[in-house]
Amino acid sequence: MSSNHDTDIVIAGGGLAGATLALALARCVPELRVTVVESFPLSAQALPDCYQPSYDARSTALAWGSRLIFDQLGLWSRLAEHATPIRHIHVSDRGHFGATRLHASDHQQEALGYVADNRWMGLCLVRELLETGVSWRAPAAVTGMEPRQDGVRVFVGEGRGDGEDGGSEALTAQCLVIADGGRSGLREKLGFRVNQQAYGQHALIANVSTSKHHDNTAYERFTDAGPMALLPHGPTGQGESTSALVWTLDSETLDDLLARNDAEKCRRLQARFGWRLGRFIHIGECSHYPLTLQTVDESVRPGVVLVGNAAHTLHPVAGQGFNLALRGLMALVEQLQRAASQGQPLGSLAVLNRYQAHHRQDWKQTVQFSDSLIEIFGQSMPVAAAARDIGLTGLDLLPGAKRWFGRKAMGLGGRRPGISPATSGQREPAGNKP
Ligand SMILES: Cc1cc2nc3c(=O)[nH]c(=O)nc-3n(C[C@H](O)[C@H](O)[C@H](O)COP(=O)(O)OP(=O)(O)OC[C@H]3O[C@@H](n4cnc5c(N)ncnc54)[C@H](O)[C@@H]3O)c2cc1C
């Protein structure tokens, strides 16, 4: 778009957020030149021809609103091949009577959301990107940037960016999008202020099989030791059912649990979760993450914008992190599309501030929604427990409140960006493909 620059937009990080943004730009503003820099190696030859879901595959809960976005980007039918619909959500408080149930049919939709394999999502995104004009540098890392009068100069190191891999080059661009994840080295390097609130807990992630079918139900269960979620994962076949577990635990309990064999892990899980899914038969490979709420005060500066986990990391039990990121990406694409059509510099503060202003309310509300679920349900005092019971029962009985809660869980209710994928004029695939 601008011949004064090597490229129009550099995206640092080709994870779920960076790759989705690249695809959305390729679809909606095909005249822009987009370069994705990703530290992990990526090669077209390395992409498997067919995908076999594994029992241990990690997954993400996509809200209904995220399905609509992927539909708009022409990716949903492919993603749906390995996505399990969530038709019901059951929220309960262990040891108390309150509970609320949400049903897709109450919202006249086929699902409230979906559980999609992360690896499958990554594969679909990369395959689709190969058909666009987006260029990739991988393995390579953005190591820094310098503001310029008309944009930015971005430093790209070959290899994983640890200085051991030799050469580096400077790319000029109108704008740098930082999508390098929750531990964003670039965010730190550029001095963006980060607010961190440690929950003092860890999330244990694993897939579990149960004797009772999940019936496409996502369970969010709050216990005195922390919240847990069990999401339907995989088709419900005869006599088997798999759910994706997110279980919050303090460090001591986590260490103790990890030292146990699978049968004992299942027994402890049973004691925590109860029998709604029948007997826990098997638990797969366990991974774990320390939990923090991480947000930035400002996500834009002239020529630079933070997206995805680099901008916010939420508690995974509410399953909102990527869904929020996706809505933010679409809000950014909307403003970049508008700026491009009006010939405005893409990295100008006016353009990026407009993006921030449009996304801020959704961002604030979702962070609050997610955090307050954990705060409210993390209290073990009797008064708080009684308030929760009343709250959950009230939510179940009050159609208006329940509908609001349902729309929040579905990733709806906020402003929807007015982006329009272009139907023609897509770029020829560029030469430097993975
Ligand atoms: C346990 C857990 C469960 C979750 N469950 C859900 C859920 O159910 N629903 C939901 O909506 N969200 C969920 N999330 C959140 C979701 O996983 C994240 O929002 C999502 O992965 C964000 O991806 P990202 O692209 O921002 O970051 P990442 O996935 O971390 O990607 C960052 C990428 O940048 C690359 N990179 C790093 N540094 C550089 C550099 N200098 N130059 C170039 N490349 C670089 C990395 O190699 C990586 O590929 C969950 C998170 C966790 C931890």
Side-chain angles (χ1 to χ4, degrees), residues 11-19 37-40 59-62 118 140-143 160 179-182 185-186 203 205 231 246 289 291 307-310 312-314 316 318-325:
I11 301 175
L16 283 181
V37 183
E38 164 56 46
S39 13
F40 269 90
S59 53
T60 295
L62 295 176
N118 287 4
V142 173
T143 54
R160 306 266 299 257
D180 62 347
L186 288 167
I205 311 292
L231 310 171
V246 185
Y289 308 83
L291 292 173
V307 299
N309 271 15
H312 49 71
T313 305
L314 312 185
Q320 299 281 328
F322 181 61
N323 293 299
L324 173 64

Side-chain angles (χ1 to χ4, degrees), residues 73-210:
L73 299 180
L75 199 65
W76 179 251
S77 55
R78 223 171 193 188
L79 286 182
E81 288 171 30
H82 295 291
T84 308
I86 301 172
R87 302 198 204 285
H88 319 278
I89 298 179
H90 184 279
V91 187
S92 62
D93 194 1
R94 182 176 179 267
H96 300 274
F97 65 83
T100 195
R101 296 159 193 83
L102 307 174
H103 307 286
S105 54
D106 293 344
H107 296 264
Q108 290 79 45
Q109 304 292 2
E110 63 167 64
L112 294 160
Y114 297 82
V115 180
D117 279 13
N118 287 4
R119 213 170 93 72
W120 176 241
M121 282 202 284
L123 260 176
C124 290
L125 278 163
V126 172
R127 278 189 187 150
E128 207 68 21
L129 276 167
L130 288 176
E131 306 295 319
T132 69
V134 170
S135 10
W136 281 83
R137 304 284 172 95
V142 173
T143 54
M145 81 101 197
E146 229 172 58
R148 279 175 25 136
Q149 188 122 39
D150 62 345
V152 287
R153 178 181 286 122
V154 180
F155 301 102
V156 179
E158 282 174 27
R160 306 266 299 257
D162 49 14
E164 296 297 315
D165 305 286
S168 82
E169 68 169 312
L171 280 178
T172 58
Q174 298 197 55
C175 185
L176 167 67
V177 180
I178 298 180
D180 62 347
R183 292 195 196 130
S184 172
L186 288 167
R187 180 185 63 199
E188 195 180 324
K189 205 171 250 181
L190 300 181
F192 279 91
R193 209 175 96 83
V194 183
N195 306 308
Q196 300 233 25
Q197 180 194 322
Y199 288 112
Q201 288 186 312
H202 299 256
L204 176 128
I205 311 292
N207 290 331
V208 292
S209 57
T210 56

